[in-house]
Amino acid sequence: MSTRVTGIGDTVLFQASCKHFHIAGLDLNALAAEVLKDFDPNNRISNNKTLYGAHYEDTYFEYGEQTAKLIDAVSAVADSMGMEVINRIWSQVHHPYESCNLHDHLGGPDMGFVFYVKAPVGAGKLYFDFGPAGTSTVEPIEGMLVVFPAYLKHGVTKNLSNDLRISIAGDFRKKP
């Protein structure tokens, strides 16, 4: 009797994807002004290490008309995926030479998202770190929304432009 090997199937061990959307109809300059209205780099959530263990340059801001429009658009994307936006959204304002530490969004959400309000050339890329498997990057484009699994470790490379990089982030969870 000869030895015979027959394939019986495959198991996917590692697979992750992020979805990219363009959101039109927002005044990005007005949205940037809403984020920056009361911005104080000394009052970032990251400066309070006891608040949820945060240390990722996040800042809460007062919602304005453009923020409300963004939340409506992001909520429609979440709904199309059988999800909903949870908690409060927040902003990241990176000055030249600032970056965002590697982190994930574990502990409640199923997906994370980031929307690019202001992304000058050289302002840093969103990256996902897969450990020994390497990294993947996303080049930010103003008006782009990126949605990704909350468990993915991600960060932002250093802002090498001479201008601010402004993004708004939050989380989705599956609808009950």
Side-chain angles (χ1 to χ4, degrees):
M1 181 173 189
S2 65
T3 303
R4 191 173 65 180
V5 177
T6 303
I8 58 171
D10 298 314
T11 300
V12 176
L13 298 175
F14 183 82
Q15 180 179 0
S17 64
C18 60
K19 298 181 178 294
H20 302 213
F21 303 89
H22 181 262
I23 299 177
L26 294 173
D27 181 338
L28 296 180
N29 290 326
L31 184 54
E34 289 174 13
V35 168
L36 295 172
K37 181 175 180 265
D38 298 314
F39 177 75
D40 178 356
N42 296 314
N43 196 25
R44 293 175 174 168
I45 298 170
S46 59
N47 293 335
N48 182 348
K49 303 289 189 231
T50 62
L51 183 64
Y52 309 113
H55 55 281
Y56 304 119
E57 302 80 33
D58 302 333
T59 304
Y60 291 130
F61 63 99
E62 290 297 320
Y63 296 175
E65 179 183 340
Q66 295 305 306
T67 305
K69 287 182 179 181
L70 173 63
I71 291 171
D72 286 347
V74 170
S75 293
V77 169
D79 190 56
S80 75
M81 298 169 65
M83 299 195 165
E84 60 189 1
V85 176
I86 58 173
N87 301 322
R88 185 164 174 43
I89 63 170
W90 59 89
S91 67
Q92 300 81 32
V93 178
H94 289 122
H95 290 83
Y97 302 106
E98 290 184 331
S99 60
C100 182
N101 295 328
L102 187 65
H103 65 285
D104 57 42
H105 293 206
L106 292 178
D110 296 300
M111 303 289 278
F113 69 84
V114 61
F115 176 77
Y116 295 99
V117 179
K118 190 169 183 179
V121 173
K125 296 179 183 180
L126 173 64
Y127 70 95
F128 297 94
D129 188 331
F130 302 110
T135 61
S136 291
T137 61
V138 174
E139 184 76 40
I141 300 169
E142 291 177 4
M144 181 171 69
L145 175 71
V146 179
V147 179
F148 52 89
Y151 64 82
L152 290 179
K153 292 218 175 274
H154 59 283
V156 179
T157 60
K158 193 177 288 186
N159 178 359
L160 297 177
S161 78
N162 293 321
D163 204 352
L164 295 176
R165 176 187 170 280
I166 302 173
S167 58
I168 295 174
D171 294 310
F172 297 165
R173 70 172 167 222
K174 292 177 185 158
K175 288 184 177 180

